[in-house]
Amino acid sequence: MVDSFSRIVRLGAGLGKNGLLSDEAMTKAIEALQICQDKMSARHVVRQRLIATEACRQASNGEQFIARVENETGLTLEIADRRTEARLAVSGCATLVEREADGVILFDIGGGSSELAFLDFRAGKPRFHAHMHRFIRAWTSLPVGVVTLAESYGGVHVDRTVFEQMVATVRDMLTSFTAREMMLQCVSGGNVHLLGTSGTVTTLAGVHLGLERYDRRQVDGTWMGADDVTAMTDRLIDMSFEERVANPCIGADRADLVLAGCAIFEAIRREWPCGRLRVADRGLREGMLVELMAQDGVWRRNRPGRSGRPGGKPHHARQRGGRGRRGRSSGQAQPQSHSSSDTVT
């Protein structure tokens, strides 16, 4: 990684009320995307993939926002479907899957949707991390994220009663997931761990580690036991809003969202009580990078050159500034109005 940038813009804030992206949210997003464009230009990026997710999938003016982004920043975003989003999350977190695991439940808690995928290794394991997505046996996209749940229940003053109501809401959504029982059987009878990628789990890990300031290097790849997760969740519930703002791993941007995220995570834990969680400070962007690298032949065997092409000229990588310089940008996942699921055999 040579450069990165992240900003919470809440693109889908209020989307559930009128089905539209607000002018204020779009302006904030475009300001952040302009910074991404500036970084990518400075790095002389020659090939890129840029995606928008749930906010643009649901909003009736999503396409207009995409057009405005291109007009004002020069960036062309694609609106990724939910299956693609789940696959990219798996690809981005592949290196954190425990090699001895019989299965992994990967979840990505976004602003307006939450993706869930079950990786089944009982019949074998991938030879390369780039092939991890081929082991997705089941996946679903829940119509709830930290922004939508916090808007429904409030995120400033959350007591245990409100927290349990949020958990119950999410568990109701999981009842229609066709792979639910199969996954529970695998969790009960094998070595299955959770793998979480989102601000929720990275926040839990940061608080668990007692960091004085958030440090990705310490958080990414951290293991937490079930008791650790319970203790950190209880600690966050007992905090006042002001205490959450003051915590260096939460801050003002996440203080009203973190407990909604914990409720979504708690619903997943109660459905599939795995003993361990691995925390990922990575996800869609890394998944896009892995897939671009795979297209360049990085993992091909017996290649005559660096890319598997005669003469070893890597795909797209010998152009000006292209060698080892790739930028990162993605839209922020936000609200949707219905769920979808699929089972892969």
Side-chain angles (χ1 to χ4, degrees), residues 152-198:
S152 297
Y153 288 93
V156 175
H157 304 292
V158 180
D159 58 20
R160 292 186 180 274
T161 299
V162 173
F163 184 80
E164 288 298 328
Q165 290 172 347
M166 291 193 289
V167 173
T169 295
V170 180
R171 292 195 75 179
D172 285 343
M173 297 177 184
L174 288 168
T175 57
S176 61
F177 185 25
T178 56
R180 180 183 174 203
E181 290 299 325
M182 177 271 292
M183 290 167 58
L184 182 58
Q185 292 175 6
C186 292
V187 169
S188 301
N191 177 20
V192 178
H193 71 83
L194 293 166
L195 177 54
T197 167
S198 70

Side-chain angles (χ1 to χ4, degrees), residues 219-274:
V219 169
D220 187 49
T222 294
W223 285 99
M224 294 180 66
D227 290 343
D228 297 326
V229 174
T230 299
M232 290 305 102
T233 301
D234 288 343
R235 180 176 171 184
L236 290 177
I237 295 173
D238 290 339
M239 284 183 181
S240 67
F241 177 74
E242 291 72 22
E243 288 173 327
R244 297 198 299 272
V245 170
N247 188 285
C249 293
I250 304 174
D253 285 339
R254 295 187 184 275
D256 62 335
L257 303 177
V258 65
L259 286 174
C262 288
I264 296 171
F265 180 26
E266 184 64 22
I268 294 171
R269 289 211 305 149
R270 292 183 189 181
E271 289 294 323
W272 303 287
C274 298

Side-chain angles (χ1 to χ4, degrees), residues 94-112:
T95 56
L96 295 181
V97 171
E98 186 180 54
R99 298 300 299 180
E100 294 75 22
D102 298 319
V104 170
I105 298 175
L106 183 145
F107 60 93
D108 183 358
I109 302 172

Side-chain angles (χ1 to χ4, degrees), residues 65-127:
F65 170 69
I66 297 299
R68 182 179 165 187
V69 169
E70 184 167 13
N71 180 59
E72 297 185 28
T73 70
L75 298 176
T76 303
L77 300 177
E78 62 175 282
I79 301 178
D81 60 36
R82 297 182 185 99
R83 186 186 187 106
T84 297
E85 187 173 355
R87 188 192 75 235
L88 288 172
V90 169
S91 296
C93 298
T95 56
L96 295 181
V97 171
E98 186 180 54
R99 298 300 299 180
E100 294 75 22
D102 298 319
V104 170
I105 298 175
L106 183 145
F107 60 93
D108 183 358
I109 302 172
S113 69
S114 297
E115 278 59 52
L116 188 73
F118 177 60
L119 307 178
D120 190 351
F121 306 127
R122 289 173 296 177
K125 291 181 171 62
R127 297 178 63 185

